[in-house]
Amino acid sequence: MKRSLLFTIIFISTLLVTLGQNIISSQKYKPFKVDLGINLTFPTESVLTTGGGLFIEPRYGINDHLHLGLQLASNILGEGESIFNHKEALFKAQAISNVSITSEYQFGINETRPFIGVLAGMYRRSNYEIVDSADGTIITRYNDRINFGLAPRMGLISGKFRLNATYHFTGKTVSDFLSIGVGMQFGGGKIKTSPRTHNYNEDW
């Protein structure tokens, strides 16, 4: 499954680059921009609960459609309760951070436009504990883990507002999760074009 997923991500990235290179037109928007926003996180593990996080992502537009960037993010997966070793246990919240290279393809050049993309980078899960719900004693403790992860995403841009949904495949020892991100884009506004003036001296 991992090989199939990796192949799919590589295929999508190659397609995005190809689409971007095939577009021959002057840019309507300034190439450099920075996204800043918050996440709502939904873990795939049933023992954990909804959490949240923050992200910052500087991006550069090769053209008005293809964009490359670097995302720095920190997310929390909320604590939850379940049975562990025949005991009612509390699974403490997990902090997961990532540093990922990003690519995305934006459809159209209107103020409101959809996009698809992918992230690839390193995910780090900090130490967390499982404790006895009755007396608070530590049942087991897990040390921090670092994995390579992939995350396909899709979303919508409307002016400076960005909305995206991202599924994070983080590897065996780090919890997979879905994030819904809302953010603002700084920079990347429309390029102002100077009005063309007619030189009447050329007529003489």
Side-chain angles (χ1 to χ4, degrees):
M1 180 178 178
K2 284 186 176 181
R3 290 183 179 180
S4 299
L5 176 62
L6 182 59
F7 176 78
T8 302
I9 297 299
I10 293 173
F11 174 77
I12 292 174
S13 297
T14 303
L15 179 62
L16 295 181
V17 172
T18 303
L19 287 171
Q21 291 176 340
N22 287 338
I23 296 170
I24 306 175
S25 61
S26 59
Q27 285 186 258
K28 179 179 180 181
Y29 297 97
K30 296 176 183 178
F32 186 74
K33 70 278 295 179
V34 178
D35 299 335
L36 183 64
I38 59 175
N39 283 328
L40 187 62
T41 56
F42 303 90
T44 57
E45 295 185 36
S46 59
V47 297
L48 298 172
T49 56
T50 303
L54 302 169
F55 67 88
I56 183 171
E57 183 179 334
R59 292 182 295 114
Y60 184 84
I62 295 175
N63 52 46
D64 284 333
H65 302 273
L66 182 65
H67 299 258
L68 301 177
L70 179 69
Q71 185 186 88
L72 306 176
S74 180
N75 294 289
I76 299 292
L77 304 182
E79 65 180 29
E81 287 189 309
S82 185
I83 301 298
F84 185 81
N85 288 347
H86 309 291
K87 295 180 179 180
E88 187 71 26
L90 179 65
F91 289 71
K92 292 292 188 178
Q94 296 183 20
I96 300 177
S97 58
N98 67 282
V99 178
S100 303
I101 295 173
T102 69
S103 64
E104 72 178 37
Y105 184 84
Q106 299 177 5
F107 297 89
I109 56 174
N110 297 325
E111 284 289 317
T112 300
R113 54 199 184 277
F115 66 86
I116 59 172
V118 65
L119 293 74
M122 304 307 296
Y123 285 79
R124 179 183 181 273
R125 189 210 67 212
S126 62
N127 300 340
Y128 81 99
E129 301 169 343
I130 300 176
V131 302
D132 192 317
S133 296
D135 56 19
T137 58
I138 297 174
I139 299 175
T140 187
R141 178 185 285 113
Y142 293 94
N143 294 326
D144 62 330
R145 290 288 186 271
I146 299 176
N147 279 344
F148 174 77
L150 297 168
R153 71 177 175 184
M154 61 186 299
L156 185 71
I157 300 170
S158 184
K160 295 294 185 179
F161 172 80
R162 282 177 61 93
L163 174 68
N164 72 81
T166 309
Y167 193 93
H168 303 262
F169 295 95
T170 58
K172 288 184 177 180
T173 56
V174 180
S175 301
D176 293 348
F177 63 97
L178 169 71
S179 66
I180 304 296
V182 178
M184 294 294 294
Q185 176 180 288
F186 297 89
K190 290 183 179 179
I191 297 174
K192 295 181 179 179
T193 55
S194 301
R196 187 175 179 180
T197 58
H198 186 76
N199 187 355
Y200 292 98
N201 293 326
E202 293 179 353
D203 298 335
W204 297 90

